[in-house]
Amino acid sequence: MAASPAERIPERYSRRTVEVRDAHAELLADFRAGMLEPPRSLPPKYFYDARGSALFDAICDTPEYYPTRLEASLLERNAEAIIAAAGASTLVELGSGTSRKTEYLLAPLERAAGERAHYVANDVCAEILDEAGARLVERFPQLSIRALAGDYIAALEALTDDEAESGHGEARLFTFLGSSLGNFEDAEAIALLQTIRRTMGPDDHLLLGLDRVKPVDVLEAAYDDAAGVTAAFNLNLLSVLNRELGADFDERGFVHRAPFNHQASRIEMHLVAQAPQQVRVDAFDTTLELTAGEVIRTEISRKFDATMIDRLLAGSGLLRDREWLAGDGWYSLLMLRPDSEA
């Protein structure tokens, strides 16, 4: 039998699960809270079954989807300055995924710290962590990697409980990239930043990626590409619900929409019923009655201006240290440090 990716990785890589989740119970609770009555919504974490993950990778390669390219370009151009400003030997990444963009930071981290260079990668998918770990230990021969399989909060709690091991007693650079903070409402985003702040030591920093407000046609095209990849990604959620909950959503009866909500400054991903529908859901022994034009909101992606950023930081316990902007102001990397008075 062939060895698993984790078994083939040298001792410089280790992984552990930091939470025990009952994913089906979570889905039941979220469906009960958001789908049994209008207005209907679900959190975006249910996009990412095997097909959804593959479709998201394809979205990042579409010509319309600018966030990945802008952030990668900023990291590539400024990686040396970022690592120098942080003065860290350990990089902690929340939601690391494949860690492709992170390689821009790991290269100068290894050059600066040598055998002290340490990377803590967090993702909900253990398989992705193992695949990334196998690649990274080959590319960075002095880097040690610890993977934490679980959600953001579980990973941060593990770091707090095991700070000496995870931080090696030296400064750390936390990263939260991909403008993932934009998937949270204000209160949730501030609460997450506060949790990161509580995990940080006085010499640690946080590198935060934020997508900025820009022309509406650019925003809407990024989430509704001409090839229909994002539409397929959104509609795939119905297949997840059918499989996991014994539902009978008909994908052909819905269309993907991703309008920009000006008042809330965010893209909202919707699935829109094209005609009245009755959807049986065996897990709840119920039938949903959807009207023509009824919307299921599947994701928000907030686009930040300076006022919004200031509001988030004011309640976070974090202070702005410096900022790197894409040349057109379309994307930001913020370097934040703990507020000693918070």
Side-chain angles (χ1 to χ4, degrees):
M1 181 181 295
S4 70
E7 292 171 335
R8 296 194 300 268
I9 301 176
E11 291 182 359
R12 289 184 293 110
Y13 174 85
S14 65
R15 169 175 55 80
R16 70 185 176 100
T17 299
V18 293
E19 66 173 347
V20 179
R21 300 170 62 231
D22 186 337
H24 187 70
E26 285 186 13
L27 175 56
L28 288 173
D30 287 334
F31 193 94
R32 180 180 292 109
M35 287 291 292
L36 295 183
E37 300 290 341
R40 305 184 201 271
S41 66
L42 275 175
K45 61 185 175 181
Y46 300 112
F47 282 135
Y48 297 98
D49 66 348
R51 182 169 182 259
S53 296
L55 284 167
F56 182 74
D57 285 344
I59 287 170
C60 293
D61 291 331
T62 61
E64 297 94 338
Y65 195 75
Y66 62 84
T68 298
R69 290 189 296 275
L70 286 181
E71 187 172 68
S73 177
L74 278 174
L75 289 169
E76 183 178 19
R77 294 197 311 269
N78 299 290
E80 294 280 356
I82 290 168
I83 295 300
S89 60
T90 294
L91 192 154
V92 179
E93 182 167 19
L94 301 175
S96 57
T98 61
S99 301
R100 294 286 181 186
K101 291 179 292 186
T102 318
E103 293 189 26
Y104 293 122
L105 296 173
L106 294 176
L109 180 78
E110 187 184 57
R111 286 194 293 272
E115 292 184 353
R116 293 169 25 252
H118 189 68
Y119 176 42
V120 180
N122 155 246
D123 200 85
V124 294
C125 180
E127 182 180 8
I128 288 178
L129 288 168
D130 288 346
E131 290 173 356
R135 185 185 78 251
L136 293 173
V137 294
E138 289 293 324
R139 176 166 181 189
F140 302 107
Q142 298 184 88
L143 182 70
S144 63
I145 303 169
R146 190 158 69 103
L148 301 176
D151 65 22
Y152 305 140
I153 301 303
L156 291 167
E157 289 175 351
L159 289 172
T160 300
D161 293 340
D162 197 16
E163 185 172 338
E165 180 183 349
S166 64
H168 291 266
E170 300 185 20
R172 295 171 293 179
L173 173 62
F174 288 73
T175 63
F176 193 36
L177 302 174
S179 201
S180 297
L181 197 69
N183 296 139
F184 298 94
E185 302 282 5
D186 253 10
E188 298 171 311
I190 291 171
L192 178 56
L193 291 175
Q194 289 172 337
T195 302
I196 296 172
R197 164 64 185 90
R198 288 193 295 270
T199 310
M200 297 169 69
D203 298 322
D204 294 342
H205 290 80
L206 168 64
L207 186 69
L208 181 65
L210 293 177
D211 198 10
R212 304 296 292 266
V213 175
K214 55 186 61 64
V216 173
D217 59 333
V218 175
L219 289 169
E220 293 187 342
Y223 293 83
D224 193 6
D225 57 278
V229 181
T230 311
F233 173 73
N234 199 8
L235 288 162
N236 182 63
L237 176 63
L238 301 178
S239 295
V240 173
L241 298 177
N242 288 347
R243 181 178 66 245
E244 299 297 328
L245 299 181
D248 62 356
F249 286 97
D250 182 0
E251 287 189 28
R252 297 167 299 179
F254 292 83
V255 294
H256 163 73
R257 294 286 183 266
F260 182 67
N261 180 330
H262 289 265
Q263 184 175 1
S265 191
R266 69 192 190 192
I267 288 286
E268 296 183 354
M269 294 241 297
H270 295 161
L271 292 170
V272 184
Q274 293 302 283
Q277 296 189 38
Q278 292 185 329
V279 180
R280 178 67 186 172
V281 186
D282 289 344
F284 289 89
D285 191 24
T286 192
T287 298
L288 305 184
E289 301 281 350
L290 278 74
T291 60
E294 188 169 341
V295 166
I296 302 171
R297 195 186 73 197
T298 56
E299 183 179 66
I300 65 169
S301 184
R302 301 170 68 198
K303 307 304 170 185
F304 296 92
D305 61 21
T307 300
M308 294 169 67
I309 293 172
D310 288 344
R311 185 170 66 243
L312 288 178
L313 296 184
S316 70
L318 296 162
L319 300 175
R320 190 192 309 252
D321 199 41
R322 63 192 67 196
E323 181 175 9
W324 293 269
L325 272 172
D328 47 19
W330 282 12
Y331 202 93
S332 291
L333 289 174
L334 292 177
M335 180 78 85
L336 307 174
R337 57 183 171 82
D339 182 353
S340 61
E341 298 181 359

